Amino acid sequence: MDTQKDQVTIELNDTRLEARQGQMLIEVADANGVSIPRFCYHKKLSVSANCRMCLVEVENAPKMLPACATPVTDGMKAWTKSPKAIAAQKSVMEFLLINHPLDCPVCDQGGECDLQEMALGYGGDTSRYTEGKRIIKEKDYGSLVSTEMSRCIHCTRCVRFGVEIAGIPEIGGTGRGDHMQIGTYVQKALSSELSGNIIDLCPVGALLSKPFLFSARSWELKSVPGVAPHDAVGSNIQIQTRNGKVMRVIPQENEAVNEIWISDRDRFSYLALDSEDRVTQPMVRNSDGQLVETDWQSALEAAVNGMKMVASTDGGGALGALASPSSTTEEFYLLQKLMRGLGSNSVDHRLRQQDFSGQSDQIAPQLGTTLQQIEQQNAVLIVGSDIQREQPLLSHRIRKAALSGAAVSTVNPDGIEFNFPLSGEVVTDQLTPALSAIARAMVDMGMGGDLSGLSALVADANVEPAHQAVAESLIGGEKAMVLMGEIAYRDQNQAVIYALTGAIASMSGATFSVLTEGANALGGLLAGAVPHRDTADATVDSVGMDVASMVDMAPKGLLLMGIEAESDLAAGPAAADAIRKSEFVVSLSTFADSVTMGKSDVILPLAAFTESSGTFVNAEGEWQSFGGAVAPKGEARPGWKILRVMGTMANLDGFDYNSSEDVLSEVRGLCDQAETEKWSWSALSDLGDASSCTVASTPIYQVDSLVRRSEPLQQTPLAHAGQATTGGAE
Amino acid sequence: MNMLKKIIRTWTLSELLKGLSVTGRYLFRKKFTLNYPEEKAPQSPRFRGLHALRRYPDGEERCIACKLCEAVCPAMAITIEAAPRDEDAPEINGVGRSRNYGNRRTTKYELDLFKCIFCGYCEEACPVEAIVETRVYEYIFDGRGQNVMTKEALLRIGDEHEPQLAADLEVDGRYR
């Protein structure tokens, strides 16, 4: 391609600028720091050119042209601040202000409002309009977004967001001229998992955050960068606080991770922080069996002495530890260091996984490519994943790929729908036969390699046209990826599914991606918080108990970090029973459920994600560190501090860290040196029960203790939809 | 010559007499001194005394919790917490519960009179003439913490002085 022809030179405000052919004038202006007022134009949305605020003067054009819809041409001369341009912009502003109410003092957007800012620059001091203003009745968009549609200036950003980004055209404009209204066509709550983003997109105060309504002003808020703790994307967020309290969460732009979006889960989970279930005091169970509040010193002593007691009477192997998959890497590292120091390899964070037989052959759950690269794929196969609900923003990347022509196919149980077009669909309750059939189709097409352990299974498979189509699309794709999601990862026959998926990926030359629950599953594995691997994938002399065996055997001493047994573990009630059977239980808890309160011998209050510093490793392997935005509630302390002190009190070496950065640099150093082992399916011996039933993925607003306690999220249609379709299957 | 003038001025006590004549003149003029507290100095309608929060004639409080006074206050004397008015909000003068349900209202409006410098910016910033400064300048605190005026106290002062406040704002209105 001749790059010379692609480049054009334009003159903007009498300055010569280089631009790409076909770029819009407003993009060139933005790239060069020339500000043009705008409402409807947004860099992530299509151009609609309906607000007319970006009118500029262009040489030889009879009228002012909208900069957002004017492509640059070689030698174009444009002026953004000429008297004619300014006059046009001012006239547009006068029109926009005709119907906009003068209620800035009661409007939550006040202080961060595009219209308010532009009106300062382009608005008149008085209005010439004396007729009545248009008033539109408030609409109910559900529990997350509040509306004040009289303030709407019809920029249609929210409409375009629904169509182009969320993939659910829920909002639209009805009526014409003065009677035009933006709204859901029929009265309903928004059902997209990304719906909160329209709050940020709205340039006026028409769409606002309902939970945040009237609670603070933008100028009072202090912004602290953070990382969202609910999925493996690791969306960058800004935690906005006021007087030491988290007031809201908004996205932080990071093109490589979350672009400018965050999911509703990331945006509204902060509402759980002040839940009644928050643990704010260290508690120790006294001789009468009552939990009594105490100070940190005695609580920590009780915890460490109890664990050491178990270790000395029954050996270190009688100890087990479970951590939430959304713990920070530092917490994972210190937890496994503490447990291994006490003589136990039984540390795990894969709470909802059921089959661990293949664990030693499997690599850490990761994307295998970058999030941005997903958009470039030509073929994607989604295996056992409700990706749109599991990893909303990763799904958005797949959607982009699908819309630009990639062949996306799925192997999923019934009832899972996506907001992107599928080229092939295998609907099945049994993943193993379906995957074998796809592998068989590939073998038949001459792609087969050495399938060793799997060959019998694949040879028996019955290839149907749907399987054939999936195989063909994967092989045909120049860049292809095979993505194994939570449903597959949690299957009781996970080892075989994993091997089959991997075989399919490697036969078709596709990237093999494995995504599972939690914000930091990859970090957990790298830090060594698993029974079969030490830090940085180092081998261990004896494999400890995994989650399933801990539930079966109920270790005598249990250390739980951020766990709510009944909701967080696959085994649910059985896990709760195992905890109840255990002799000595220490819980590091942010929220305490009935099991924690009923059984724990020591409860140590754990800081929430906004209160602790730490690092999440996202699906693509990016280490993203963050600091605490607010002080921990009550007596709660960050997990790494608690574990550090426990290590010191247990007289273990190497626990004298001064900061979470010290911990991070140690674990990071170990991981950077290590070579990650390649996985293989050849070692697979037990093919298990091939007809095992698949499990459903966790409903989007049930994944962790935070979202479960966020009241507005629980009121959304999505929360109810999840219960209806998957409640029975669990 | 100058020397001579100086000697004459010194010995005739002319400067002393000149000074005393000022004193003498004021001795027989109308007195400035007011017999406070029986008599009080005249006040401008713009007098900036103790603060008050006003209500609309129907009893609904004016303050909409826009927090502009809090933002403009150079002494940071004002603290506001806001929330949508809920149904449990106390009924004010028997009206307004349903009409004002869900409106933006303060749940806390505190003004620390120790910090306040009586600059009047809060009054100027207020878009609804809710926070005003009354003509009251006679007040005492006889207990710790009384310097922090609560919303209830401010509304009470407003209710007490409403006729005067309305009249003052009326006079000043055309200059605003």
Side-chain angles (χ1 to χ4, degrees):
Chain A
M1 193 161 49
D2 188 359
T3 50
Q4 284 302 312
K5 272 190 185 161
D6 278 356
Q7 290 291 320
V8 293
T9 309
I10 65 160
E11 247 179 59
L12 190 64
N13 294 343
D14 304 317
T15 317
R16 289 173 72 83
L17 297 173
E18 293 288 314
R20 264 185 301 108
Q21 179 86 44
Q23 259 188 315
M24 295 300 165
L25 199 50
I26 203 166
E27 292 176 64
V28 182
D30 282 352
N32 290 284
V34 178
S35 72
I36 299 176
R38 87 284 306 265
F39 295 112
C40 73
Y41 171 78
H42 193 279
K43 60 180 177 182
K44 290 284 176 194
L45 301 174
S46 64
V47 170
S48 70
N50 56 7
C51 76
R52 317 308 284 183
M53 193 61 206
C54 61
L55 292 178
V56 294
E57 187 180 353
V58 178
E59 192 185 44
N60 294 334
K63 292 202 269 186
M64 304 295 114
L65 297 178
C68 67
T70 308
V72 291
T73 52
D74 204 21
M76 175 191 256
K77 285 184 183 173
W79 296 271
T80 64
K81 290 187 172 58
S82 68
K84 272 170 126 179
I86 296 273
Q89 290 159 3
K90 285 193 168 176
S91 308
V92 170
M93 179 54 84
E94 190 174 4
F95 270 115
L96 288 174
L97 291 179
I98 278 181
N99 277 319
H100 193 79
L102 264 177
D103 63 351
C104 303
V106 285
C107 175
D108 254 358
Q109 191 88 350
E112 51 179 2
C113 174
D114 288 358
L115 187 66
Q116 208 178 23
E117 253 168 60
M118 302 296 172
L120 191 70
Y122 302 93
D125 50 356
T126 51
S127 173
R128 289 186 282 166
Y129 184 77
T130 51
E131 291 77 7
K133 289 198 176 206
R134 183 174 50 97
I135 290 169
I136 296 169
K137 253 185 95 180
E138 200 175 313
K139 296 185 163 75
D140 188 4
Y141 280 8
S143 56
L144 303 178
V145 180
S146 96
T147 65
E148 189 70 64
M149 297 317 278
S150 299
R151 294 177 186 146
C152 177
I153 57 167
H154 299 164
C155 71
T156 69
R157 277 187 190 179
C158 53
V159 177
R160 281 174 286 150
F161 175 84
V163 177
E164 293 161 20
I165 309 293
I168 311 177
E170 289 180 297
I171 308 175
T174 50
R176 314 200 314 183
D178 197 38
H179 300 290
M180 177 170 169
Q181 291 193 14
I182 300 288
T184 48
Y185 302 101
V186 287
Q187 175 92 16
K188 72 192 265 282
L190 299 182
S191 63
S192 166
E193 71 289 347
L194 300 174
S195 65
N197 288 300
I198 59 173
I199 299 164
D200 300 326
L201 284 175
C202 185
V204 294
L207 303 173
L208 298 164
S209 163
K210 204 170 235 180
F212 176 71
L213 203 64
F214 303 160
S215 57
R217 290 301 219 166
S218 61
W219 59 78
E220 305 174 293
L221 298 169
K222 195 179 115 199
S223 268
V224 185
V227 178
H230 304 293
D231 55 44
V233 175
S235 297
N236 291 193
I237 53 172
Q238 280 189 40
I239 301 161
Q240 298 202 314
T241 67
R242 172 171 164 261
N243 298 336
K245 189 173 179 305
V246 178
M247 300 309 287
R248 67 170 171 181
V249 168
I250 56 170
Q252 165 73 48
E253 182 168 356
N254 187 343
E255 201 53 39
V257 181
N258 55 322
E259 303 175 64
I260 58 164
W261 319 115
I262 53 174
S263 61
D264 288 355
R265 219 161 45 176
D266 301 343
R267 187 185 300 266
F268 294 108
S269 67
Y270 77 91
L271 292 157
L273 292 173
D274 285 325
S275 146
E276 285 173 4
D277 298 344
R278 262 313 282 271
V279 188
T280 53
Q281 278 287 335
M283 284 181 274
V284 174
R285 197 170 295 279
N286 64 14
S287 45
D288 304 336
Q290 294 295 312
L291 271 180
V292 284
E293 294 189 350
T294 177
D295 56 302
W296 268 104
Q297 182 68 26
S298 39
L300 284 166
E301 269 167 17
V304 173
N305 291 341
M307 304 248 312
K308 286 183 91 168
M309 185 80 85
V310 174
S312 63
T313 51
D314 297 278
L319 290 173
L322 290 175
S324 150
S326 296
S327 309
T328 65
T329 312
E330 289 85 343
E331 285 164 357
F332 279 136
Y333 179 66
L334 291 180
L335 179 70
Q336 63 86 24
K337 198 169 175 178
L338 175 70
M339 293 307 289
R340 297 208 155 103
L342 291 170
S344 171
N345 272 327
S346 309
V347 189
D348 213 340
H349 67 275
R350 301 164 296 175
L351 303 180
R352 291 194 179 100
Q353 191 172 333
Q354 302 190 50
D355 176 17
F356 295 90
S357 58
Q359 63 180 9
S360 47
D361 299 323
Q362 295 173 358
I363 50 158
Q366 58 192 305
L367 201 54
T369 175
T370 63
L371 288 160
Q372 275 178 309
Q373 277 294 318
I374 296 176
E375 293 171 28
Q376 318 297 328
Q377 305 295 322
N378 309 106
V380 181
L381 171 63
I382 297 168
V383 178
S385 175
D386 186 1
I387 191 81
Q388 197 187 334
R389 262 65 60 176
E390 286 167 15
Q391 321 274 352
L393 287 168
L394 198 140
S395 166
H396 172 56
R397 302 270 189 181
I398 297 177
R399 180 167 189 273
K400 276 176 153 180
L403 293 183
S404 54
V408 181
S409 34
T410 59
V411 180
N412 260 342
D414 198 9
I416 297 176
E417 284 175 4
F418 296 115
N419 59 357
F420 42 81
L422 296 177
S423 73
E425 211 173 348
V426 179
V427 179
T428 172
D429 276 345
Q430 297 163 355
L431 293 178
T432 323
L435 290 170
S436 317
I438 295 171
R440 170 78 191 273
M442 285 185 172
V443 173
D444 291 348
M445 287 162 79
M447 308 301 293
D450 175 24
L451 289 175
S452 52
L454 291 170
S455 35
L457 195 60
V458 171
D460 289 345
N462 177 25
V463 184
E464 282 166 32
H467 304 134
Q468 184 70 29
V470 170
E472 278 168 15
S473 81
L474 266 185
I475 292 168
E478 191 189 337
K479 282 183 180 171
M481 70 187 288
V482 177
L483 195 152
M484 178 173 163
E486 277 174 41
I487 299 174
Y489 206 77
R490 287 180 198 164
D491 199 284
Q492 284 147 13
N493 206 15
Q494 187 251 20
V496 176
I497 293 175
Y498 193 101
L500 276 169
T501 317
I504 290 170
S506 98
M507 279 194 283
S508 57
T511 310
F512 181 34
S513 306
V514 183
L515 293 172
T516 178
E517 66 195 308
N520 203 17
L522 181 50
L525 215 134
L526 290 174
V530 278
H532 62 291
R533 285 276 188 278
D534 206 336
T535 312
D537 233 7
T539 47
V540 288
D541 26 322
S542 70
V543 176
M545 284 182 277
D546 51 49
V547 176
S549 12
M550 277 193 242
V551 170
D552 285 347
M553 307 190 343
K556 288 229 166 105
L558 257 178
L559 178 57
L560 305 174
M561 186 163 74
I563 302 274
E564 291 186 281
E566 275 184 329
S567 335
D568 280 338
L569 272 76
D577 285 343
I579 290 173
R580 288 195 195 99
K581 263 186 256 163
S582 183
E583 274 174 22
F584 186 76
V585 180
V586 180
S587 295
L588 277 69
S589 302
T590 313
F591 304 99
D593 62 352
S594 58
V595 181
T596 312
M597 292 303 277
K599 172 61 200 172
S600 302
D601 295 282
V602 183
I603 297 182
L604 304 172
L606 184 67
F609 76 105
T610 51
E611 300 162 357
S612 166
S613 60
T615 305
F616 287 149
V617 186
N618 78 356
E620 64 171 60
E622 186 71 27
W623 295 60
Q624 299 191 106
S625 295
F626 50 91
V630 289
K633 191 172 177 175
E635 281 296 304
R637 293 289 175 268
W640 72 268
K641 282 191 184 173
I642 302 174
L643 293 165
R644 180 212 168 277
V645 177
M646 284 175 80
T648 321
M649 287 175 116
N651 291 325
L652 299 176
D653 286 337
F655 271 90
D656 39 1
Y657 306 100
N658 287 322
S659 66
S660 64
E661 283 86 359
D662 289 357
V663 187
L664 177 65
S665 62
E666 188 172 313
V667 55
R668 189 87 205 246
L670 288 168
C671 288
D672 285 349
Q673 288 163 20
E675 285 252 335
T676 30
E677 231 178 286
K678 285 270 173 258
W679 71 283
S680 67
W681 63 81
S682 51
L684 198 71
S685 52
D686 177 20
L687 285 178
D689 176 14
S691 60
S692 76
C693 259
T694 52
V695 291
S697 71
T698 323
I700 179 167
Y701 298 143
Q702 293 292 326
V703 288
D704 56 39
S705 52
L706 277 164
V707 294
R708 280 196 294 269
R709 287 184 174 79
S710 174
E711 204 53 49
L713 282 179
Q714 293 309 323
Q715 291 163 6
T716 55
L718 210 47
H720 302 307
Q723 281 161 14
T725 56
T726 53
E730 275 275 352
Chain B
M1 195 59 188
N2 275 348
M3 192 70 159
L4 190 68
K5 268 188 184 169
K6 199 180 172 188
I7 290 167
I8 294 168
R9 262 213 307 266
T10 308
W11 287 98
T12 57
L13 301 176
S14 72
E15 279 162 338
L16 181 70
L17 290 171
K18 205 169 159 188
L20 273 175
S21 75
V22 175
T23 315
R25 266 204 307 280
Y26 277 90
L27 194 62
F28 297 104
R29 272 206 192 153
K30 191 168 173 274
K31 303 295 181 286
F32 287 123
T33 317
L34 292 172
N35 287 322
Y36 181 83
E38 284 80 27
E39 295 171 8
K40 294 193 175 156
Q43 286 176 318
S44 152
R46 293 178 185 175
F47 188 86
R48 302 197 295 262
L50 190 62
H51 304 71
L53 280 171
R54 295 176 65 221
R55 294 181 196 275
Y56 286 109
D58 67 358
E60 174 60 45
E61 57 191 281
R62 282 177 178 254
C63 180
I64 49 169
C66 72
K67 303 202 185 190
L68 289 177
C69 51
E70 187 188 41
V72 79
C73 182
M76 299 197 189
I78 304 176
T79 316
I80 297 173
E81 298 280 347
R85 144 112 21 121
D86 58 15
E87 227 135 7
D88 303 332
E91 209 163 324
I92 294 164
N93 295 3
V95 288
R97 177 176 290 184
S98 58
R99 182 169 67 81
N100 295 301
Y101 170 69
N103 276 6
R104 188 187 186 103
R105 283 288 178 272
T106 55
T107 53
K108 174 175 150 184
Y109 191 112
E110 284 186 359
L111 198 151
D112 188 344
L113 286 173
F114 281 178
K115 290 183 188 164
C116 179
I117 57 167
F118 297 92
C119 64
Y121 281 6
C122 49
E123 210 176 341
E124 241 177 88
C126 186
V128 289
E129 297 181 337
I131 182 80
V132 288
E133 287 183 275
T134 62
R135 296 183 172 214
V136 179
Y137 55 92
E138 296 155 314
Y139 51 85
I140 51 141
F141 308 125
D142 55 8
R144 196 177 279 273
Q146 286 182 7
N147 54 310
V148 179
M149 304 290 284
T150 58
K151 180 181 169 184
E152 289 69 35
L154 289 163
L155 279 168
R156 204 171 50 240
I157 299 168
D159 292 344
E160 229 168 86
H161 297 275
E162 180 54 31
Q164 178 74 68
L165 290 169
D168 285 350
L169 285 163
E170 177 80 36
V171 175
D172 204 27
R174 61 187 146 136
Y175 303 111
R176 285 159 80 94

